[in-house]
Amino acid sequence: LKSHLVAEPRSNVWVSPKDAGKDSKDSVNVQADRIVMDNDSLIFAKGIVIIERPDILSTSDSAFVDKFTEFARLMQTPKVVGRGDRHFTLDGDIIDIFSRQHEVERVKSVGHAQATSDDVTLRADTIELRVSSQKLERAFAWGRSRAHADSKEQDITADSIDVLMPGQTLRTMRAIGSALAESKPDSAKITSKKLDYLAGDTITAHFDTLAASDTAGKPSVKEIFAR
């Protein structure tokens, strides 16, 4: 027996194995101008789509959700915001969300992608975020337009960038392929409008996460290597 639901205008649908009970941790709320649901599994939403989960909040103009495979695709000005104690955002042309056991594990943005956290901002054609316990653990950025990472002290550009940030605290940034790291010179020692720079095939920057945990500031660069 197949079921088919069409809800409009400005629909509000809860999707959960527990029917979105008060204490349900895996409930999903979908709001849109039009919602079509097949077999209580496939959801098609269009028109100012808002999807709320315990771990993320997303907005887009259209969306597709497969509840059984735990996959969602957001299209037309999509945006995802993490709902942990340290928020992160991801924008792009198309955003895919991959979950396991009702918790988001990966979020991938393709086309004009930008990811922002407290410590770093990434820009690239494609960005993939790895998430655990509602916090960023790792981020990958790559594409033809090159990848760009901006942190407190370093702006890094390369063919691809890998950012390790356990507990959403910036620890290591690795740039691969014609890598360039730029920073402002120490104004107490040098008076110059030009930026300091370091270039190489690969650049690896390590950040002082202990110092960042003691203050409200962002992690500072501890070591930076070019090869």
Side-chain angles (χ1 to χ4, degrees), residues 164-179:
L164 184 64
M165 43 195 319
Q168 205 163 318
T169 299
L170 183 58
R171 177 179 292 176
T172 304
M173 189 183 300
R174 182 173 290 107
I176 302 171
S178 301

Side-chain angles (χ1 to χ4, degrees), residues 117 119-122 128 130 136-141 148-149 160-166 169-175 207:
S117 72
D119 297 337
V120 63
T121 297
L122 284 173
E128 182 170 319
R130 302 294 174 88
L136 284 181
E137 292 290 319
R138 199 164 189 174
F140 305 92
H148 309 267
S160 63
I161 296 176
D162 177 6
V163 183
L164 184 64
M165 43 195 319
T169 299
L170 183 58
R171 177 179 292 176
T172 304
M173 189 183 300
R174 182 173 290 107
F207 294 81

Side-chain angles (χ1 to χ4, degrees), residues 202-222:
T202 302
I203 290 178
T204 303
H206 298 282
F207 294 81
D208 191 351
T209 55
L210 293 178
S213 64
D214 295 334
T215 67
K218 298 180 180 180
S220 299
V221 174
K222 182 169 61 176

Side-chain angles (χ1 to χ4, degrees), residues 94-139:
I94 297 175
I95 295 179
D96 291 338
I97 303 171
F98 304 85
S99 305
R100 177 176 295 183
Q101 296 181 347
H102 312 295
E103 290 190 4
V104 171
E105 287 190 334
R106 294 193 295 132
V107 187
K108 183 179 180 180
S109 177
V110 179
H112 304 93
Q114 176 169 303
T116 304
S117 72
D118 293 341
D119 297 337
V120 63
T121 297
L122 284 173
R123 289 173 286 112
D125 292 333
T126 304
I127 295 176
E128 182 170 319
L129 306 180
R130 302 294 174 88
V131 182
S132 178
S133 301
Q134 301 184 9
K135 293 182 180 180
L136 284 181
E137 292 290 319
R138 199 164 189 174

